[in-house]
Amino acid sequence: MRTHPTPTASAWHPIIQLDKRLVGRARSLAIRAAAPVISLAQERTTVSVERAVLRLAGLRGADPTTGDGDIPWVNRVVDAVRAQVGLERGVAQPVWHAMRVYGYDDLLDLAEAVTAGTVEFELPFGAAATRAHNAATRATRAGLRRIDRNRATRDRLVNKHGDPPRRPWVYLIVATGDIYEDIPQAQAAARAGADVIAVIRSTGQSLLDFVPEGATRQGYAGTYATQENFRLMRAALDEVSKELGRYVRLTNYASGLCMPEIATLAGLERLDMMLNDSMYGILFRDINPQRTFIDQRFSRMIHARAGIIINTGEDNYLTTADAVDDAHTVTVSQLLNETFAHEAGLANWQLGLGHAFEINPDLPESFRLELAHALLARHLFPEAPLKWMPPTKHMTGDIFRGYLLDGFFNLVGALTGQGILLVGMMTEAVVTPFLSDRDLALRNVRYVLDAAGGLTEDFRPPRGGFIENRANEVLAEAVGLLQRITDEGLLNAIADGTFGITKRPVDRGKGLDGVIVKADGYDNPAVTLMEADLGRGESS
Amino acid sequence: MRTHPTPTASAWHPIIQLDKRLVGRARSLAIRAAAPVISLAQERTTVSVERAVLRLAGLRGADPTTGDGDIPWVNRVVDAVRAQVGLERGVAQPVWHAMRVYGYDDLLDLAEAVTAGTVEFELPFGAAATRAHNAATRATRAGLRRIDRNRATRDRLVNKHGDPPRRPWVYLIVATGDIYEDIPQAQAAARAGADVIAVIRSTGQSLLDFVPEGATRQGYAGTYATQENFRLMRAALDEVSKELGRYVRLTNYASGLCMPEIATLAGLERLDMMLNDSMYGILFRDINPQRTFIDQRFSRMIHARAGIIINTGEDNYLTTADAVDDAHTVTVSQLLNETFAHEAGLANWQLGLGHAFEINPDLPESFRLELAHALLARHLFPEAPLKWMPPTKHMTGDIFRGYLLDGFFNLVGALTGQGILLVGMMTEAVVTPFLSDRDLALRNVRYVLDAAGGLTEDFRPPRGGFIENRANEVLAEAVGLLQRITDEGLLNAIADGTFGITKRPVDRGKGLDGVIVKADGYDNPAVTLMEADLGRGESS
Amino acid sequence: MSEQTQHPDIIRPYGDTTGDGMVQVSFTLPMAPGPKAEGAALQLATKMGLDPAMVVHATGLGGGESAYTFFVVYGRAGHLVDLGEVVVREREYPLLAAKEANLAIKATLRRKLIVLGACIGTDAHTVGIDAILNVKGFAGEKGLEYYREMKVSNLGAQVTVPELVSQARKDRADAVLVSQVVTQRDAHLRNTRELAAAFREAMGDHRPLIVVGGPRFDPRMAEELGVDRIFGRGTTPGEVASYLVHALANKELLRAC
Amino acid sequence: MSEQTQHPDIIRPYGDTTGDGMVQVSFTLPMAPGPKAEGAALQLATKMGLDPAMVVHATGLGGGESAYTFFVVYGRAGHLVDLGEVVVREREYPLLAAKEANLAIKATLRRKLIVLGACIGTDAHTVGIDAILNVKGFAGEKGLEYYREMKVSNLGAQVTVPELVSQARKDRADAVLVSQVVTQRDAHLRNTRELAAAFREAMGDHRPLIVVGGPRFDPRMAEELGVDRIFGRGTTPGEVASYLVHALANKELLRAC
Ligand code: B12
Ligand code: B12
Ligand SMILES: Cc1ncc(COP(=O)(O)O)c(C=O)c1O
Ligand SMILES: Cc1ncc(COP(=O)(O)O)c(C=O)c1O
C-alpha cells in the first residue's frame, strides 16, 4: 500500500568524492550530539502536543462566546485540565475520564461544558485510568486512521494522475493573506508548471499559541494556516491535479508554537509536505528551545505516519550568517535534522533537507562555490529529496539582476540533482510575489531545465579540483563543529549563537510555560499507537 | 614593432575531438571554393577602391557647392575620371598626370578645378605614366605611413594602458544616431566595463555610394560612419583609456558600398576592429556580389596593414535561417571568410569570425546545442579571436526573459573560450539600446564571468557525448555543403539562397555599375605598395 | 478576485490582490544618484499616478561619477481602466481558411488578386513581410504565395517609394503590402506617410489597397497615416488574406453600385 | 546631452537621447489576453502619461485559459520633472566619525546616551536593526554598540509596543530605534502609528526620540506617522549616530533655554 513518491533524482550518481572517514565521523557525531536533546524531548510534553491529541480525537472549532471567537475548543479544554489537575499525565486521561463521568459522547459537548465551568477534571487511577486510556485510544485511533486513509488517497491519486515528469519538483509560494485570492493563484501556478504549492503563513501566526479557525482573508504577508484553509486549498489542487493529469502537492508550515497541532491538521487534510525544522522556531522565532524540541518530535511522528515529506530550514541560517564562512553550520544542522527525523520515524525519502543559494554574487567564483555546497549535501544525503532554496539575502530592487540570479540558481539545482526547487522571485527584495512574478519565475525554471538540464552529462568537477576541494573543506569544518557541539552540548551551542549567529538560551524564548515534565503514568494514546505501529514502544 | 594584441583565450586547450579528416577536407574545399572568386576580384576594381586610393593620398572633404554639400571630393574626381577616360587603368594615373599637367600640388585644388569643369583628364603613357605612377606612389605611401603610425600608436597605447584583463573582450554597441550623444554613452560604457565600443551605422548608409562628411547628428538607428565621427570617437576613447588604464578599442562597419573607403578611413583614424564580411553586403544589403567581393578584398588588405581585427557576419544568417538546421552554413562561411582573409594578408589573430546564440530557446537542449556549435568554431579556428553574438531573433518584448537568455549566452561565451563577446540587450526586440540597457547588460556579463567563468574547469563534454557528436555532425554537414559549392561555384550557390536563405544572383543587386574590369596597365599604387610589403607582387 | 466587482467594466492593475493597482516602472533620469535623484524619481512616479510609490532600486549608470541614475519603482496606480472605453481595432471580417479565401476571390474578383510586397526606405528587415508572403508562412499558417487565387510578388528590401508606385501601376496591383521595422526617430511613421502621399498623388482614388505592417505599429493609426490597414506584431498570413478578401470584395461592391 | 538645456531644473527621463522621455512599465490586468486587453493596457499607459506607448509584450498568466494578462510597455512620458520642486529629506546635520560623536555626547549630555532598539509587532526581521546596532555594523561602518558614549540595548524581534514602552521608561532611554520590514497591507505604517501613539500617551512630551527604519519606508513620512525620523534602505550606522547626537543636542539646548 505504501509507495514512496519522492523527488530524489533517481538517476543520481556521485560525481565528486567526499572523504569517507569524514562522512562517517560526521554522522556518528551528529547522533551523539542529538541524543541528550532526544531524551529531553521524550521526558516532556507541551500544551500543543496535548491539544494535538484532542484534535486527533476529532475536537475542532472555536469557542464563539469569548474574545474574537477565535479561541479553539482544544485550547479551552487543555487549559482547563492544566489549571485543574495539571498536564503531567497528559490530557487524555482526565478528559476521557470526564467524558465518562459526565456522560458525554462528543468532545465538543465536553468542551462547551468546560467553558461553561460545569466540568471538574480528575486524574483517574486503576480501572478508571484503563477505561479512560482505552476510550482515548479509540478516539485518537480514529484520527490516525483518517491520516492513514489520506495517505492511501494520496498514493492512489499519484498513481492515477501521475507524478511530475521530472526532477527537481518545482515548488511555488502563494502568499496573498487571503485564502480566496490564494486559491486561484495556486491553481494558476500549477497550470503554469508548479509541482508543489506552499501557502506562506501570516507573519504573526507562529507565535500564536493556538491555531486559528475557518477560512481566513486577513493575513499579513501570508495566509493563516487553518484546518479549513488546508481543506479548501487541497480540494482546489485536487481539482487542478485532475485537470493537469499530474498530482500537485500542497505544503504548509509546522514550525512555531503549534507545531504538533498543525502537523496533525496537515495529516488530517492530506497536505503532502510540511516545513518542519528542529531549530527554526528557536532561532528565527525566539521560541523556547525545549518547547521546540518536544514539539518537533511529536509533529514529526505525525508526518512520518502521514507520509508527509518534511522540509527543513537551513536556508534561513544563510540570511543572517555568511553563506561561505558558515556553510558548515548548514551541514551540521542537516545532520542533526536527519538524526531527529530518523528517531521520530521518518524515512530518508521524507527528508527534504534545506539549503540555499545565498552566497554574495559579487564574490568571485560564487557560482562554483554554490555548486560545491549543493553537491556536498547531495552526496551526504543521497536518498533525501533535498530542497534547494533561491537567493533572498542578496536580492535587491534590481529585478533584472534578480531574474538572472534566479536563473543561475535554477542551473545549480539542475546540475546537482536537487529534489525540490523552490522557485525564486525577481521581486524578492520588494514585495511578496505578484502573480506575474510567479509566472515569470516559472518560465525561468522551464528555460533552464529544458535548455540546460542535460548539462549534467558535461559537468564533471575534476578530482582535487576547486569544487571537490571546497566540498571536503566544508565537510571538515562541519566535523570540527560537531565535535565542539558534542563536547559542549547542543543546547549550549544554540545559546552561543552557533546557528545563524543568533543566541538562544535554553530557558528563554516564547512558550516555555507550555512545557511540562511528564510524570509517571503519563499517557498519550496517539504516541503509543504511533510507536507501536513503528514497531517500538514509547520509551518513557 | 608589431605586437599582436588578441582576444583569443591564450589558455585554450581542446576539450572536444573533431574528426581530423573532416577538418582537413573542410579547409581544402574552402580554398578551392574561394579561388575563382579571388581571381574575379583580382581582375576588377570598383569606384570605391579608386576613391580609397585618393583618400589614402589625402583628399578629404566634400564639395560645398552642390546638393546638400555632401558629395565628397573623391567622388567628384573619380566620377569625372570615369566619365572622361574610364577607370580601367585606375584613377591614379590620370589624376597624378593631371596634377602635373595643371601644376597642382594639392589634390583638393585639382578636385575644385574638376568640379569647376576646368580639368580634362588623359591617360598618360610611357615616361608620363611612370612619373604619374611615382607621384601617386609617393602620395599614397603618405597615407599608408599614417596607417602604420596609427598601428604603432595603438601598440604603444596598449602597452601603456594595458589590454583588458580577461577574455572574452566585452563589446558594446552605441547607436543614438548623434555622435555627440554617442560619445558620452561610449565613455560611460567603457567606464562600466566595455573593452570594445562599436558605433552602429545609420540604416541607410551601406547603400550610399559615398562616405558622408563631418560630425553627424541625424542618423536612423545608428550614426553615420564619417572620418570626423571616427576621429571624435577615437579621441574620446583615448581619453577614457587613459582614465581607466585599459586601452578601449573602437569598431565600425566596413561592409557596404564603400567598404574600401571606410576601411581606409578606419586605418587613418586608428579604429581597432571593423565589421568586414565577404558576403554580408550581398546577402543583407542586396549589394552586387562582384562589387562586394572586389571591395572586401581591398578593404581587407588595408585592415591587414592597419593591424585591425575584422569581424565577420555569420551571425546574420541565423536571423533569417534556422540556427540548428543551417548551423553548417555558418561554418562554411567562416571557412570562406578565413580563406579570403588570408589571401588579403590578414593573420589568424585578426580573424574575428562571427557566430551567434540564435537557437530557439524553447527547443529542448538548446543551451547544449549552442555549446556544441560554439565549440566547433573554437576548435576549427584555434588562433582566431572568435566573435560571439547574442540572441536577437528569439528575443521578444519579454525583457526579463531576454535578460536571462543573455546570461546564458554569456555563459556559453565563457565556457567556450570566445575572444569577443558582443553584449546582448534585454530590449533587443524593442528599441536600439537605452543607456540603462547597456549598463544592465554589462552587469550581466560581469556576474557571469566572475561567478561562473571558472566553470571551464568542470565543463568536460565526454567523448562521444551529445556535444561532441553534435559538433562533428555540423562539421560533416559543412563539408557536404562545401563539396556542393566547389562543384557549382560559390557565386551560383549564393544565387541559390545557400546562405541566410537569401537568393542573390551574380548580375543583380546594387553597385554593379561601379565595377570595372581592369585593363592592361591598371595601376593602383596603394595595392602595389601593400602587396610588396607583404612580400608578394600584385598578381594582375 | 472572488467577489464580483461592482462595475465589471472598470478594472485596475493586479499585483497580488484584486484592485491593488500595482505597477512596476523603470527609467533613467539625467542626474547623479542620491537623495535628490530619488526625490525626482518619486516626483515622476507621482505624476504618472503612482501613489504610494517606492523607489526600490537606484544606481548610477556607467561607472565612475555618474550623471545618470537608473531607477526601479513599484507603486499603486490610481488610474482606473474603463473597458467600455477601450478602443480596439476589432477584426470586422471573418477569418477565412485558404480555400475559402480562394473561393471568395473567384466569386467577387473573377480573376487573381494581385499583391505586391516590399520593405521601403532603408529598412532591410524582410523577415516580417516574408512571413506574410512566402509559402513557408508563419506560426503554422502558409503565406499568401500559397493562395491559388493570389498573384504575389515580393520586391524585398530597400525599395524606394517611387519604384514601388511604378511597379504597382505596371502590375495593376490590387494591394500593396509594406513592412516597416525600424522605428527609431519614428522612421516607420514618416515612411508610411510618404508612401500614402505618393500613391494618392500618382493614382488618386484608383490606388491599390495599402496595407502596412511591423512589430511596433499601433493598428489604430491607419487612418491618421493615410493607409487602409495596419498590422502589428504577431500578425499571421491568414489574417492578412482574410482582410484583403474582405476589403477588396467591399471595393468591388462599391464599384458595382 | 551635449546642449545645455534651457531650464537646468527641468528634466525628463532618458532612454538614449536627451529629452526622449522613455520609460518602461510592466503590470498585469485582470482580463484574458487579446486585442481588447492590449487596448486596455494602452489606455492605462496613456493615463500614466505615456504617449506614444507601445505594448511590446503581452502574455496570459498561469497557463490554460488565462484571466490575467501581463504586459510590458515602453513609452514616452510626457511629464517634466521639476528639480526645483523635489522634496528631499536633506541631512540637516553633519556626518560625524565615531570619535566626534562620542565627544559631542560627552559635551552636551554629560552622560551616556541610552539607546533602545527593537523590531515591533510580528516582524522578525532583525538583520536591519542589527546592522545599525551591533558592533559588526554595516557597509564598513561599526554599529552603535561600538560608540563608547552610547549604552545600547537591542530587544530583538517581535517586541510588543507596551513591552517597548515600559522598557524605555525603565531604562530612561534617550532614543528608541524601531525596525519594520514587512510592509504587506501597510503593516509598517500601522505599527509605526501605534508606536507613536503609545509613547505619546505614556510619556507625552517627555518621550524619547523615536526613530524608525526599514527598506520600504519613505523618509519624508516621519511627521505624518508621528515619529522623529525615518531611515530607509541602505542606511549606515554613522548616519544614525550623527542624527541622534544632533537631535539630542538640540533637545538639550531647548531644555536649557
Ligand atoms: C533579423 C533582424 C535583422 C536582420 C534582418 C534580416 C532580414 N533579411 O530581415 C539583420 C541582421 C540584417 C538586421 C540588421 C539591422 N537591424 Co535588425 N533586427 C532583426 C531582429 C533580430 C528580428 C526581426 C525579425 O526578423 N523578426 C521576426 C519577424 C517575423 O517579425 P516582424 O518583423 O515583427 O514581423 C511580423 C509582424 O510585425 C508583421 N509584419 C511585419 N511586416 C509586415 C508587413 C505587412 C504588410 C503585414 C501585413 C504584416 C507585417 O507580421 C510578421 C509576422 O507576424 C530584430 C530584433 C527582434 N528580436 O525583434 C532586430 C531589429 C528590428 N533591428 C534593428 C536594427 C536597428 C537593425 C540595424 C539598423 C542595425 C544597424 N544599424 O546595423 C540593421 C540594419 C537593418 C536595416 N537597414 O533595416 C532594431 C530596430 C530598432 C528600432 N525599433 O528602430 C531591432 C529591433 C534590434 C534592436 N533592438 O536594435 N536586423
Ligand atoms: C533575511 C530575511 C528573512 C529572515 C530574517 C532573519 C532575521 N533574523 O532577520 C527570515 C528567513 C527569518 C525571514 C522570514 C520571513 N520573511 Co523575510 N526576508 C529576508 C530578506 C531575504 C532580507 C532582509 C534583510 O536581512 N536585509 C538586509 C538588511 C541589512 O537590510 P534592511 O532590513 O533593509 O535594513 C537596512 C535599512 O532598511 C535600515 N534599517 C532597517 N531597520 C532599521 C531600523 C532603524 C532604527 C534604522 C535607523 C534603520 C533601519 O538600515 C539597514 C541597513 O542599511 C528579505 C528580502 C530582501 N532581499 O530584502 C525578506 C523579506 C523582508 N521577508 C519577507 C517575508 C514576507 C517574510 C516572512 C513573513 C515570510 C513568511 N510568511 O514566512 C517570514 C516571517 C518574517 C516575520 N515574521 O517577520 C518579505 C516582506 C514582504 C513585504 N514587503 O512585506 C521580504 C521582502 C521577502 C519577500 N519578497 O517576500 N526573512
Ligand atoms: C523550517 C521553517 N519553518 C517555518 C517557516 C516559516 O515560519 P513563520 O510562519 O514563522 O514565518 C520557515 C520559513 O522560512 C521555515 O524555514
Ligand atoms: C559584417 C557586417 N557588416 C556590416 C553590418 C552592418 O551593416 P549596415 O550598416 O548595412 O547595417 C553588419 C551588421 O550586423 C555586419 O554583420
Side-chain angles (χ1 to χ4, degrees), chain B residues 201 206 253 255 275-277 280 285 311-313 315-316:
Chain B
R201 281 188 311 201
S206 40
Y253 295 72
S255 328
L275 276 275
N276 183 311
D277 190 276
Y280 172 84
R285 284 293 170 273
N311 297 174
T312 63
D315 50 290
N316 298 290

Side-chain angles (χ1 to χ4, degrees), chain B residues 10 81 330 352 453 513:
Chain B
S10 55
V81 168
V330 167
D513 59 352

Side-chain angles (χ1 to χ4, degrees), chain A residues 122-431:
Chain A
E122 285 178 302
L123 285 174
F125 290 91
T130 308
R131 263 201 298 265
H133 172 77
N134 290 343
T137 300
R138 270 194 304 281
T140 49
R141 184 181 287 131
L144 290 175
R145 287 233 173 97
R146 177 160 161 191
I147 289 176
D148 294 340
R149 272 198 308 278
N150 279 339
R151 182 173 180 158
T153 304
R154 180 190 306 115
D155 290 348
R156 190 168 49 73
L157 291 176
V158 169
N159 276 332
K160 184 167 154 201
H161 299 317
D163 247 328
R166 76 172 157 209
R167 306 290 174 273
W169 288 357
V170 170
Y171 177 115
L172 258 188
I173 284 173
V174 297
T176 68
D178 178 342
I179 187 68
Y180 293 108
E181 296 275 345
D182 286 343
I183 284 177
Q185 291 204 5
Q187 291 184 320
R191 287 192 192 100
D195 301 313
V196 185
I197 300 289
V199 182
I200 291 275
R201 283 189 310 203
S202 180
T203 50
Q205 182 168 7
S206 41
L207 296 187
L208 300 180
D209 213 341
F210 64 91
V211 182
E213 273 291 325
T216 69
R217 315 197 57 170
Q218 276 301 334
Y220 287 97
T223 307
Y224 286 101
T226 74
Q227 186 166 5
E228 179 62 6
N229 287 347
F230 285 4
R231 191 186 67 75
L232 288 168
M233 187 56 93
R234 185 58 265 173
L237 292 184
D238 281 346
E239 200 182 291
V240 84
S241 298
K242 198 164 143 191
E243 172 191 326
L244 296 173
R246 161 167 65 81
Y247 184 71
V248 180
R249 286 179 168 75
L250 175 59
T251 303
N252 210 293
Y253 295 73
S255 327
L257 280 175
C258 293
M259 212 166 184
E261 292 169 271
I262 296 188
T264 301
L265 297 176
L268 292 172
E269 300 300 339
R270 188 164 38 86
L271 268 63
D272 308 281
M273 296 190 181
M274 289 298 279
L275 276 275
N276 183 311
D277 190 276
S278 62
M279 302 195 280
Y280 173 85
I282 305 170
L283 299 169
F284 296 96
R285 285 291 170 273
D286 198 9
I287 294 176
N288 173 266
Q290 303 180 49
R291 169 80 180 249
T292 298
F293 281 118
I294 304 160
D295 282 347
Q296 62 91 25
R297 182 165 182 270
F298 180 89
S299 67
R300 286 176 175 201
M301 296 178 88
I302 297 275
H303 291 328
R305 178 85 177 204
I308 282 177
I309 292 171
I310 65 165
N311 297 174
T312 63
E314 283 81 0
D315 50 291
N316 297 289
Y317 305 171
L318 304 184
T319 66
T320 50
D322 182 79
V324 174
D325 298 345
D326 288 328
H328 63 292
T329 64
V330 167
T331 308
V332 167
S333 174
Q334 290 168 332
L335 287 160
L336 292 170
N337 260 316
E338 178 191 48
T339 307
F340 289 125
H342 283 164
E343 195 274 330
L346 287 159
N348 280 338
W349 67 266
Q350 291 177 295
L351 306 188
L353 299 172
H355 55 156
F357 184 99
E358 289 281 23
I359 299 174
N360 183 345
D362 292 333
L363 197 73
E365 300 275 23
S366 64
F367 180 75
R368 291 173 83 205
L369 288 167
E370 296 287 7
L371 283 167
H373 297 179
L375 284 175
L376 169 57
R378 181 67 291 171
H379 286 74
L380 212 46
F381 308 100
E383 293 172 29
L386 301 180
K387 179 167 178 202
W388 182 229
M389 303 284 291
T392 64
K393 182 183 184 173
H394 295 286
M395 295 290 277
T396 67
D398 182 349
I399 50 180
F400 302 101
R401 177 179 174 85
Y403 199 66
L404 177 69
L405 265 191
D406 282 336
F408 277 75
F409 156 78
N410 291 334
L411 184 59
V412 173
L415 287 182
T416 61
Q418 302 299 314
I420 306 166
L421 185 89
L422 193 140
V423 178
M425 299 290 147
M426 68 182 190
T427 48
E428 171 62 32
V430 184
V431 287

Side-chain angles (χ1 to χ4, degrees), chain B residues 200-201 285 316 392 428 431, chain C residues 122 124-126 179 183-184 215 235:
Chain B
I200 292 275
R201 281 188 311 201
R285 284 293 170 273
N316 298 290
T392 65
E428 171 62 32
V431 286
Chain C
T122 57
H125 291 92
T126 54
S179 181
T183 62
Q184 214 193 28
T235 306

Side-chain angles (χ1 to χ4, degrees), chain B residues 175-178 188 191-192 203-204 207 217-222 284-286 319-320 400 429-430 432 435-436 439-440 443 501 510, chain C residues 24 26-28 57 59-65 68 70 122-124 126-127 136 157-159 182-187 190 215-216:
Chain B
T176 67
D178 178 342
R191 287 193 191 99
T203 49
L207 296 187
R217 314 197 58 171
Q218 275 301 334
Y220 287 97
F284 296 96
R285 284 293 170 273
D286 197 9
T319 64
T320 49
F400 301 103
V430 185
T432 43
L435 189 66
S436 54
D439 190 82
L440 281 164
R443 290 175 198 268
I501 39 175
K510 284 139 187 134
Chain C
Q24 173 269 328
S26 77
F27 52 81
T28 300
H57 177 65
T59 186
L61 294 185
E65 301 240 319
Y68 294 84
F70 176 64
T122 57
D123 204 320
T126 54
V127 180
K136 195 181 158 198
Q158 310 183 145
V159 177
V182 174
T183 62
Q184 214 193 28
R185 295 172 202 261
D186 289 336
R190 216 172 20 93
R216 294 284 88 81

Side-chain angles (χ1 to χ4, degrees), chain D residues 162-174:
Chain D
E163 272 167 30
L164 184 60
V165 171
S166 85
Q167 192 68 40
R169 186 176 271 142
K170 203 160 24 159
D171 292 357
R172 299 170 156 272
D174 295 300

Side-chain angles (χ1 to χ4, degrees), chain B residues 33 154 164 213 232 295 321 333 392 432 484 505 520 532 536:
Chain B
R154 180 191 306 115
E213 274 292 324
L232 286 168
D295 283 347
S333 174
T392 65
T432 43
R484 214 194 79 206
D520 269 1
R536 36 177 160 155

